[in-house]
Amino acid sequence: MSITTPDQNACERLQAEDFHFTRNAWIAAAPSKVYDLVSDVSMISAWSPSASQVSYDEGAGPRAGSWFSGRNERGGKEWTSRSQVLRAQPGEEFAFVVDGLVQWTWTFQPLGAGTVVQQSWQLLGLDPVLGSTRTDLEALLAHMADSVETTLVSFARWVTEENRTR
């Protein structure tokens, strides 16, 4: 029987795939319209409490392989991230990876006069910048889930207000 310190045990048990969540919201617009808004990454700052100044690289756009950058904020810290689009299927799915560490996936399903938007977050790798203990990563997960819920509520409200002004 080997003896390990508590820190060694915690690190051995940390698995990136354990840190993920999905949230849903109904949006009062067709899937194609919702996809167009989400895949225009420059719009994210209109809804997200933690992302701003997001833009595709010059000549890039919402298509697989494209890159974009954005400013992020969490816990009083700010940084720039680099993201690559994995999937861009108009009206169906938009997915990207941030700094090789986190995958975001948005899916769009028609329901009545609108769309059920599903936003998923999946940790892909462990990196001390995200946290080095289970407690750190659980705090990150909780923060990101709260951020997504805020984003989805803001997004639904924004779309509703846009529809009213037209």
Side-chain angles (χ1 to χ4, degrees), residues 137-158:
L137 293 174
E138 287 173 349
L140 172 65
L141 183 71
H143 171 81
M144 297 311 298
D146 287 346
S147 179
V148 164
E149 290 170 9
T150 299
T151 298
L152 288 171
V153 167
S154 295
F155 183 45
R157 189 173 295 131
W158 187 89

Side-chain angles (χ1 to χ4, degrees), residues 48-68:
S48 173
S50 58
S52 63
Q53 300 174 351
V54 184
S55 63
Y56 283 107
D57 290 0
E58 189 173 330
R63 58 187 171 276
S66 291
W67 287 88
F68 61 92

Side-chain angles (χ1 to χ4, degrees), residues 9-30:
N9 282 336
C11 290
E12 289 171 9
R13 284 180 269 160
L14 289 177
Q15 300 290 323
E17 59 269 13
D18 292 342
F19 299 93
H20 59 89
F21 65 84
T22 299
R23 298 293 186 268
N24 300 303
W26 185 83
I27 308 293

Side-chain angles (χ1 to χ4, degrees), residues 4 16 21 28-29 40 48-49 59 87 91 101 109 114 116 118 122 156 164:
T4 57
F21 65 84
D40 177 359
S48 173
R87 290 179 298 284
L101 294 173
Q109 294 294 320
V116 174
Q118 185 174 75
Q122 172 67 60
R164 266 192 244 143

Side-chain angles (χ1 to χ4, degrees), residues 27-99:
I27 308 293
S32 59
K33 171 71 171 171
V34 176
Y35 171 87
D36 288 346
L37 290 167
V38 169
S39 65
D40 177 359
V41 296
S42 67
M43 293 293 298
I44 193 66
S45 63
W47 319 300
S48 173
S50 58
S52 63
Q53 300 174 351
V54 184
S55 63
Y56 283 107
D57 290 0
E58 189 173 330
R63 58 187 171 276
S66 291
W67 287 88
F68 61 92
S69 298
R71 298 282 307 151
N72 300 277
E73 184 275 323
R74 179 172 64 95
K77 296 179 181 174
E78 289 189 38
W79 67 96
T80 299
S81 62
R82 292 285 293 153
S83 301
Q84 186 175 32
V85 177
L86 296 177
R87 290 179 298 284
Q89 300 166 318
E92 295 178 20
E93 181 181 32
F94 185 71
F96 56 92
V97 172
V98 180
D99 293 331

